Amino acid sequence: LIRFEVLALEAKRRGLDKDPDAVRAMKQVMIQKLMREQFQKDAAPESITEADMRAYYQKNKNTYHKPEEVRVAAIIMTGKGAAAKVATRAKTANNRQFRELVMKHSSDEKSRKTGGDLSYFSRENKEIPRPVIEAAFALDKTGAVAGPIAGGGKYYIIKQTGKRKAVIKEFEKVASQIRGRIERERRKNAQRKFIDKLKRTTKIQIFEKNLKKVRIDTSKKGASGGHGHGTPGGNVPAMPNDAPAGEPTPDLVP
């Protein structure tokens, strides 16, 4: 304790209590304490009822109920005869050879760039032709190939590359997770309203000439290093749009 106090007194004697870094550190601590005090009142966890949680669950049901999905790579062709010949080769091709067939024969530019990958899709997908969807879900294992399948005026040769089972998370299993999400959303909204109110009741003056001197350093080193104070060429981290409660957005003071 004595060591701490005598060092603090000496630092103050040297005027370091007015040093920009020291002033900024003090402001950060004050802001963190202010945020905790303010939002413990405005976004208290005990204010979240089970009805609130169930309403959130129903509103975001797609997050907790996910249908079965399948993933395939596809060679998409315009001619039936040519597609039949390629399909014969595709059924014995390994992954590398299948990608080569995609690059050589597929007429779909978008999927060609990704080796024919159509990503994961459910049975309700509206972009892929219905016969192709049905054939994809009928494939019994990863690596299985089907085709050619007529759909949308084209012919598809598909290879299954993955499958996901349907996921249903009941309310009781995700209740604590939902409580946390509601609490964060309420805290974020309360913080935004609180800061907007402070801005409305505070006289704010912006010095455009000084702002032009600020240099934004978006590099990893610059963002994690010192905050700078707007001197020409100084490093100032880019500011996030919404800083989490307790983590105030850096102020830029030229």
Side-chain angles (χ1 to χ4, degrees):
L1 177 62
I2 292 171
R3 176 178 177 276
F4 180 85
E5 292 295 342
V6 295
L7 287 172
L9 285 170
E10 177 61 17
K12 187 174 182 180
R13 187 186 68 79
R14 297 188 185 189
L16 293 177
D17 57 324
K18 297 177 178 61
D19 178 83
D21 289 333
V23 171
R24 179 176 178 79
M26 181 181 69
K27 286 181 179 180
Q28 291 277 20
V29 173
M30 288 194 299
I31 291 171
Q32 288 169 3
K33 288 182 177 293
L34 170 66
M35 292 298 191
R36 278 197 295 270
E37 179 183 310
Q38 181 68 32
F39 303 122
Q40 278 175 353
K41 300 174 184 176
D42 292 349
E46 55 270 20
S47 67
I48 301 170
T49 65
E50 183 173 330
D52 294 331
M53 293 158 61
R54 287 190 178 277
Y56 184 96
Y57 179 80
Q58 290 298 325
K59 184 179 178 180
N60 298 277
K61 211 162 187 177
N62 289 342
T63 302
Y64 306 106
H65 289 203
K66 294 184 179 180
E68 182 184 23
E69 293 181 319
V70 68
R71 185 173 190 172
V72 299
I75 305 169
I76 305 172
M77 302 179 67
T78 55
K80 183 178 180 180
K85 292 179 181 179
V86 173
T88 301
R89 295 171 59 190
K91 287 172 183 177
T92 58
N94 58 30
N95 290 338
R96 178 182 60 79
Q97 291 167 338
F98 191 90
R99 285 195 296 271
E100 289 174 352
L101 290 173
V102 171
M103 295 301 295
K104 185 175 180 180
H105 299 286
S106 186
S107 61
D108 184 69
E109 288 297 325
K110 184 179 178 181
S111 61
R112 278 183 72 235
K113 295 176 182 178
T114 57
D117 184 31
L118 299 186
S119 298
Y120 277 99
F121 56 86
S122 69
R123 295 179 189 275
E124 290 72 38
N125 185 285
K126 303 298 182 185
E127 297 177 3
I128 298 171
R130 176 53 49 185
V132 178
I133 293 174
E134 291 174 357
F137 276 94
L139 292 172
D140 58 354
K141 61 182 179 180
T142 299
V145 175
I149 306 146
K154 296 183 179 180
Y155 296 90
Y156 288 70
I157 303 154
I158 59 173
K159 181 174 186 174
Q160 193 207 98
T161 56
K163 205 166 190 178
R164 292 174 178 166
K165 293 181 180 179
V167 175
I168 298 177
K169 296 180 181 179
E170 299 298 339
F171 171 78
E172 288 73 19
K173 291 184 178 180
V174 294
S176 59
Q177 182 186 90
I178 290 174
R179 180 184 291 276
R181 288 187 176 181
I182 294 174
E183 184 182 350
R184 286 192 295 273
E185 286 182 8
R186 288 186 179 182
R187 189 185 300 119
K188 186 176 180 179
N189 290 334
Q191 178 179 333
R192 185 177 291 110
K193 289 178 182 178
F194 179 63
I195 292 173
D196 287 344
K197 179 183 176 182
L198 292 177
K199 286 181 178 180
R200 288 194 304 269
T201 57
T202 303
K203 183 180 178 181
I204 298 172
Q205 188 175 3
I206 298 173
F207 298 90
E208 295 291 345
K209 288 184 179 179
N210 288 347
L211 280 178
K212 290 179 181 178
K213 299 176 184 177
V214 176
R215 297 292 179 266
I216 304 299
D217 187 350
T218 57
S219 68
K220 186 175 181 181
K221 182 178 178 181
S224 61
H227 294 295
H229 298 283
T231 53
N235 294 336
V236 181
M239 295 190 296
N241 291 329
D242 290 299
E247 297 177 16
T249 300
D251 54 321
L252 304 183
V253 185

